[in-house]
């Protein structure tokens, strides 16, 4: 049998395989540990964290759509301090990379929280810049190259762990935002976050989500996600983690062919709790069938 090595290196952090559970779909891992061995995963990007605890948006928070879901959870989470005290020790029992996903409403919130996480035993920090900048009129931190550069630069000052910047697809030009994040000090990029959307109940004539709008994820966004990962890969020279509608191994392979060194699996977890493990097995089978020895043999291998 052809020996294969599924390990990947992202900014000096070694993952046993390229599959990461995506933030917002895997909580802090406890719930999923009943269904799968967390040691199998390359990494876990934990539920989005904010400096202070958040209760989230009013229900309903989830709406099923054709080939996906809309979510408007509103970053409900216990806050950074509670995560460090109560959740991180549990996660560190497992042989998997722990990625803290950080969100915020202001530069100060991001920086204070980043400083706290920097002192904690995490492996990487994933900076979610899709959040609204409340002090600047509510525009997303990642909406423009300038704002993406600014928040990344600010957080970089407090983060000595590898810094992954998670990009929003709701921008004018993903290449410009990707370049800005790299120039501001990002060690890697992850993309894409959810697309903005909404759903309406024709019988009540009201929005289905309590917050009216939400983020669309699942297979419906995969073509957009693939395109943006490919564009970013042509633009930056730092590692890219791809995500957006990955439901099986072939989906994951597509993202790696487009230039991603690793992938995050999100919505699939809500449909099938063991999706991440199945996708790991799918990738291994693909490599065996095609005589590939390392993940590097796939990454960026798109033939045009």
């Amino acid at each position: 049998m052809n020996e294969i090595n599924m390990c990947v290196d992202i900014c000096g952090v070694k993952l046993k395989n390229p599959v990461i559970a995506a933030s917002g779909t895997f909580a802090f891992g406890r719930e999923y540990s009943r269904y799968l061995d967390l040691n199998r995963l390359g990494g876990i990007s934990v539920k989005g964290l904010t400096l202070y605890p958040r209760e989230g948006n009013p229900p309903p928070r989830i709406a099923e759509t054709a080939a996906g879901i809309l979510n408007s959870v509103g970053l409900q989470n216990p806050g950074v301090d509670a995560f460090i005290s109560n959740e991180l020790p549990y996660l560190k029992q497992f042989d998997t990379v722990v990625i803290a996903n950080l969100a915020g409403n202001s530069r100060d919130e991001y920086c204070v929280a980043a400083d706290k996480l920097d002192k904690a035993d995490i492996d990487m920090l994933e900076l979610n810049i899709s959040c609204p900048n409340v002090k600047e009129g509510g525009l997303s931190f990642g909406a423009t190259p300038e704002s993406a550069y600014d928040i990344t630069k600010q957080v970089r000052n407090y983060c000595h762990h590898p810094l992954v910047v998670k990009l929003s697809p709701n921008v004018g030009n993903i290449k410009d935002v990707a370049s800005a994040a790299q120039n501001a000090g990002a060690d890697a990029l992850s993309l894409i976050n959810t697309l903005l959307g909404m759903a309406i109940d024709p019988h009540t004539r009201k929005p289905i989500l309590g917050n009216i709008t939400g983020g669309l994820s699942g297979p419906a966004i995969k073509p957009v996600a693939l395109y943006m990962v490919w564009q970013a890969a042509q633009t930056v020279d730092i590692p890219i983690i791809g995500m957006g509608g990955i439901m099986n191994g072939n989906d994951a392979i597509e993202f790696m062919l487009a230039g991603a060194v690793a992938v995050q699996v999100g919505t699939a977890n809500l449909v099938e709790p063991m999706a991440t493990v199945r996708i790991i097995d799918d990738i291994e089978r693909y490599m065996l069938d095609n005589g590939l020895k390392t993940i590097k043999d796939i990454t960026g291998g798109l033939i045009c």
Side-chain angles (χ1 to χ4, degrees):
M1 181 183 293
N2 182 30
E3 289 189 9
I4 63 172
N5 181 356
M6 295 184 69
C7 295
V8 295
D9 186 308
I10 303 177
C11 318
V13 177
K14 298 187 185 303
L15 288 72
K16 65 170 68 71
N17 61 66
V19 178
I20 302 165
S23 177
T25 64
F26 213 76
F28 300 114
R30 290 180 188 268
E31 296 84 352
Y32 283 88
S33 65
R34 295 183 296 169
Y35 302 100
L36 60 94
D37 180 3
L38 299 184
N39 293 297
R40 289 286 312 278
L41 302 180
I44 297 173
S45 182
V46 305
K47 184 173 181 59
L49 300 165
T50 50
L51 178 59
Y52 306 109
R54 288 181 62 162
E55 294 184 358
N57 290 332
R61 295 176 170 185
I62 299 286
E64 188 171 355
T65 67
I69 62 169
L70 283 165
N71 93 82
S72 181
V73 175
L75 289 170
Q76 177 183 344
N77 77 96
V80 166
D81 290 336
F83 164 73
I84 293 171
S85 298
N86 304 328
E87 304 295 344
L88 187 55
Y90 173 80
L91 283 171
K92 295 304 292 186
Q93 297 178 79
F94 300 96
D95 179 26
T96 188
V97 168
V98 177
I99 304 170
N101 180 283
L102 177 60
N105 287 330
S106 68
R107 293 183 186 87
D108 289 344
E109 281 191 20
Y110 270 110
C111 292
V112 173
D115 187 47
K116 287 176 178 284
L117 289 167
D118 195 55
K119 296 178 175 67
D121 192 19
I122 63 170
D123 296 298
M124 307 175 81
L125 180 66
E126 183 176 49
L127 183 64
N128 178 0
I129 61 174
S130 298
C131 306
N133 184 348
V134 174
K135 291 188 176 180
E136 300 293 338
L139 188 67
S140 165
F141 281 96
T144 67
E146 293 76 18
S147 57
Y149 179 93
D150 178 67
I151 193 61
T152 302
K153 190 74 171 178
Q154 295 289 333
V155 170
R156 178 81 276 180
N157 292 327
Y158 296 88
C159 176
H160 299 90
H161 288 89
L163 178 62
V164 182
V165 177
K166 186 172 185 177
L167 303 185
S168 168
N170 306 302
V171 297
N173 189 320
I174 197 70
K175 289 183 176 181
D176 293 342
V177 179
S179 293
Q182 174 177 274
N183 293 337
D187 295 304
L189 303 177
S190 61
L191 64 153
I192 61 172
N193 209 328
T194 56
L195 288 158
L196 290 174
M198 68 181 296
I200 299 172
D201 185 331
H203 302 290
T204 64
R205 303 184 185 182
K206 295 180 179 180
I208 292 177
L209 294 173
N211 199 51
I212 302 178
T213 64
L216 178 65
S217 64
I221 75 168
K222 182 186 148 195
V224 176
L226 268 176
Y227 173 63
M228 290 193 168
V229 165
W230 177 68
Q231 282 196 309
Q234 308 305 306
T235 306
V236 301
D237 55 12
I238 54 178
I240 292 174
I241 303 170
M243 72 190 87
I246 296 174
M247 304 297 287
N248 54 53
N250 283 339
D251 292 334
I253 295 297
E254 287 185 63
F255 275 88
M256 289 189 280
L257 288 172
V261 301
V263 296
Q264 289 192 18
V265 178
T267 298
N269 296 316
L270 306 180
V271 180
E272 177 191 355
M274 292 187 65
T276 46
V277 173
R278 177 175 52 76
I279 290 169
I280 293 168
D281 292 339
D282 286 348
I283 296 171
E284 182 177 18
R285 191 174 305 110
Y286 174 88
M287 294 177 69
L288 288 169
D289 290 345
N290 289 275
L292 305 175
K293 294 185 177 181
T294 71
I295 297 298
K296 287 182 180 179
D297 295 331
I298 308 173
T299 299
L302 180 67
I303 300 173
C304 296

